[in-house]
């Protein structure tokens, strides 16, 4: 199977049915965030602002050797060079020159390990913190965050921009916590404007309410809340259609200079939109940059992706600092696994879950930190895949660290729909990464 074809399908146009189905996923908005949304010209904010997360999702498996963990001049180093960063003695790949200047804002983990080497299983694993289970769907980080801190909002609190194969899901918490999916922010959110006159639209809504009332008669009390979501989805969509908070999606209102800083790419615009959405009270924004699956011509493919990532990530960090949002916003940048140290006959690198990199910055994360390391001259013993990794951490530990920094009680148990108690995270936080 050609994994690049699998992972790079463009996102389809949202239909009104999609909006109504997913709109409930953002039916909640913080009273604090509501006061903070679109702060006045002074830019003043309150210290009690809720914590948020922006996940820059690099789908397809970015190479640690061409991004955050280069080993130039070695048998595994490939064509990449290494450059100094804003953290003494820390070097990253020369494919990320702007990001190199921002490394003091967060911590780099170079020793993430997974037991999943298949794209779909690995994506599920790293987004939920659990390996796939045929009996249960686990919630993603954004879904957990929204569930643990329920607050009202006119627009979705959990948003996935440019989703590809596996946008974040609510899992056993329910579809109301699924991410609301949107495409390139240069386009308006589809289906928010009624194609008919207001009076006719109002009559349709009254007719729909009549149908909803008849449907619920003599059915389960929780039919709408936990099963059909008919009323909740409709109400959420109507609130969103009439809310000024929708302007947070519109990056065209930003100056040309600001847009250029993020890069003239869908991903760059997605990162700019993410900062606007967080400022408006959204809790979790996932922005996807696909195309990292470099089984052939690894260097050119990874370099091209890094050029897009470099501008967007650096600008996003700058923007959050400028708006005093980084202390309350966790930025996570990574993919489902890394790439093999060996370069294959097609000049590519294959899947590698045994020591790859993730960058964290923002609330609760130590600044200028580096955790873990991979060997420059690995032995690559198939029976001891972690022998070449210093201080390896599991996906569960990475999740517990993220959740802990966001104030989520990662160690507590929640009841699944079948009454099974399950910990929010099966891992433990990495103390050296937390501030």
């Amino acid at each position: 199977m050609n994994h690049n074809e699998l992972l790079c399908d463009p996102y389809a146009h949202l239909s009104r049915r999609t909006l109504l189905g997913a709109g409930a996923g953002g039916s909640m908005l913080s009273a604090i965030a509501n006061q903070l949304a679109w702060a006045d010209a002074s830019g003043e904010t309150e210290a009690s602002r809720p914590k948020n997360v922006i996940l820059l999702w690099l789908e397809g498996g970015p190479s640690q050797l061409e991004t955050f963990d280069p080993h130039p001049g070695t048998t595994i180093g490939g064509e990449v060079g290494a450059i100094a960063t804003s953290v003494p003695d820390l070097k990253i790949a020369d494919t990320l020159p702007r990001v190199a200047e921002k490394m003091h804002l967060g911590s780099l983990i170079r020793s993430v390990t997974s037991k999943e080497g298949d794209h779909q299983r690995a994506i599920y694993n790293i987004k939920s913190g659990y390996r796939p289970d045929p009996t249960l769907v686990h919630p993603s980080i954004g879904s957990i965050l929204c569930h643990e801190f329920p607050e009202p909002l006119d627009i979705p609190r959990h948003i996935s921009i440019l989703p590809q194969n596996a946008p974040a899901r609510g899992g056993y918490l329910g579809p109301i916590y699924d991410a609301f999916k949107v495409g390139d922010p240069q386009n308006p959110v589809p289906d928010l404007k009624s194609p008919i006159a207001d009076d006719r639209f109002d009559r349709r809504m009254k007719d729909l309410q009549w149908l909803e009332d008849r449907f619920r008669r003599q059915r389960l009390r929780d039919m709408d809340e936990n099963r059909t979501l008919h009323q909740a989805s409709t109400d959420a969509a109507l609130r969103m259609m009439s809310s000024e908070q929708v302007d947070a999606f519109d990056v065209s209102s930003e100056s040309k200079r600001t847009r250029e800083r993020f890069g003239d790419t869908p991903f760059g615009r997605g990162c700019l939109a993410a900062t606007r959405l967080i400022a408006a009270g959204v809790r979790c924004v996932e922005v996807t940059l696909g195309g990292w699956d470099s089984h052939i011509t690894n260097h050119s493919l990874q370099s091209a992706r890094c050029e897009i990532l470099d501008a967007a990530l650096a600008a996003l960090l700058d923007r959050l600092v400028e708006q005093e949002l980084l202390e309350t916003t966790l930025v996570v940048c990574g993919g489902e696994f890394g790439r093999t140290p060996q370069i294959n006959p097609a000049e590519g690198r294959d899947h590698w879950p045994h020591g790859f990199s993730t960058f964290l910055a923002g609330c609760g994360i130590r600044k200028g930190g580096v955790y873990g390391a991979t060997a420059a001259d690995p032995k690559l013993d198939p029976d001891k895949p972690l022998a070449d990794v210093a201080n390896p951490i599991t996906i569960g530990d990475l999740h517990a660290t993220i959740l802990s920094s966001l104030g989520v009680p990662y160690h507590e148990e929640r009841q699944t729909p079948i009454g099974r108690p399950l910990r929010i995270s099966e891992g433990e936080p990495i103390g050296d990464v937390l501030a």
Side-chain angles (χ1 to χ4, degrees):
M1 177 182 293
N2 186 321
H3 289 293
N4 279 325
E5 292 180 359
L6 170 68
L7 291 168
C8 298
D9 288 339
Y11 179 66
H13 176 77
L14 282 169
S15 65
R16 180 172 294 274
R17 179 177 297 176
T18 305
L19 174 62
L20 291 173
S27 61
M28 310 199 236
L29 171 98
S30 152
I32 296 173
N34 199 21
Q35 297 169 9
L36 291 167
W38 310 108
D40 59 28
S42 68
E44 293 180 354
T45 58
E46 298 179 18
S48 56
R49 180 178 175 84
K51 293 182 179 179
N52 320 286
V53 60
I54 296 176
L55 171 60
L56 303 186
W57 177 244
L58 312 183
E59 189 161 305
S63 169
Q64 68 280 5
L65 292 157
E66 273 73 32
T67 54
F68 293 111
D69 192 14
H71 290 296
T74 67
T75 57
I76 67 172
E79 303 173 52
V80 75
I83 55 174
T85 72
S86 56
V87 176
D89 301 323
L90 170 63
K91 293 185 176 182
I92 64 173
D94 58 7
T95 56
L96 298 171
R98 288 180 57 183
V99 171
E101 299 173 356
K102 315 298 176 187
M103 295 302 293
H104 63 283
L105 296 174
S107 281
L108 177 59
I109 304 175
R110 285 173 158 168
S111 55
V112 184
T113 64
S114 168
K115 295 182 179 180
E116 301 293 350
D118 168 79
H119 283 292
Q120 297 303 320
R121 290 181 62 87
I123 290 172
Y124 181 99
N125 188 195
I126 204 161
K127 285 196 175 185
S128 71
Y130 283 86
R131 298 176 73 184
D133 182 338
T135 69
L136 190 68
V137 177
H138 301 86
S140 65
I141 290 171
S143 303
I144 294 170
L145 188 61
C146 290
H147 178 267
E148 292 299 309
F149 303 103
E151 302 152 333
L153 190 63
D154 290 346
I155 59 177
R157 293 191 306 141
H158 186 194
I159 296 171
S160 180
I161 301 176
L162 302 169
Q164 293 191 358
N165 294 280
R169 299 178 61 186
Y172 64 74
L173 297 178
I176 194 171
Y177 295 104
D178 287 354
F180 177 77
K181 302 179 286 294
V182 294
D184 188 337
Q186 75 175 351
N187 304 315
V189 179
D191 306 314
L192 289 183
K193 301 296 182 182
S194 173
I196 59 177
D198 290 347
D199 58 343
R200 187 178 179 187
F201 182 79
D202 291 341
R203 290 198 302 271
R204 287 185 175 183
M205 291 300 100
K206 289 179 181 179
D207 291 342
L208 178 60
Q209 186 60 58
W210 181 83
L211 287 172
E212 290 283 0
D213 292 342
R214 289 183 62 86
F215 177 79
R216 286 197 297 269
R217 289 179 184 175
Q218 298 179 347
R219 286 183 167 85
L220 297 173
R221 291 181 179 272
D222 66 347
M223 176 61 70
D224 181 67
E225 180 181 355
N226 295 323
R227 298 173 186 268
T228 68
L229 298 181
H230 285 170
Q231 190 67 57
S233 298
T234 301
D235 291 346
L238 292 174
R239 283 196 302 272
M240 186 173 177
M241 290 172 69
S242 61
S243 175
E244 293 182 358
Q245 292 169 358
V246 173
D247 292 344
F249 291 94
D250 182 13
V251 299
S252 66
S253 62
E254 296 285 350
S255 68
K256 181 179 179 181
R257 179 182 179 184
T258 296
R259 296 196 303 270
E260 288 176 345
R261 285 168 58 192
F262 282 81
D264 186 18
T265 64
F267 182 73
R269 290 186 286 272
C271 290
L272 175 54
T275 65
R276 293 172 58 84
L277 290 163
I278 291 298
V282 171
R283 276 295 188 132
C284 176
V285 184
E286 173 186 85
V287 190
T288 300
L289 177 62
W292 296 88
D293 202 15
S294 54
H295 292 283
I296 60 174
T297 58
N298 173 80
H299 183 74
S300 60
L301 190 152
Q302 296 281 330
S303 296
R305 297 289 90 187
C306 284
E307 184 176 357
I308 297 171
L309 174 64
D310 188 46
L313 174 54
L316 180 140
L317 292 170
D318 280 342
R319 171 93 165 193
L320 293 176
V321 170
E322 291 164 4
Q323 297 189 341
E324 298 183 353
L325 291 174
L326 189 59
E327 294 305 311
T328 53
T329 303
L330 176 66
V331 177
V332 182
C333 181
E336 65 264 41
F337 43 58
R339 315 303 300 186
T340 53
Q342 311 99 316
I343 298 176
N344 66 32
E347 298 184 359
R349 296 187 191 271
D350 301 313
H351 302 176
W352 186 253
H354 310 304
F356 56 101
S357 300
T358 299
F359 177 67
L360 307 177
C363 65
I365 299 299
R366 185 161 70 96
K367 295 182 178 181
V370 183
Y371 187 87
T374 59
D377 184 23
K379 296 181 174 56
L380 301 177
D381 184 344
D383 296 325
K384 300 178 180 179
L386 301 186
D388 301 312
V389 183
N391 298 322
I393 71 163
T394 66
I395 299 298
D397 292 339
L398 177 63
H399 261 251
T401 303
I402 291 171
L403 294 173
S404 178
S405 74
L406 293 169
V408 174
Y410 65 91
H411 57 284
E412 291 185 2
E413 291 183 344
R414 296 291 179 264
Q415 292 287 332
T416 66
I418 61 172
R420 170 186 173 188
L422 189 70
R423 272 185 48 148
I424 296 176
S425 172
E426 64 178 354
E428 294 295 332
I430 310 163
D432 290 342
V433 174
L434 296 173

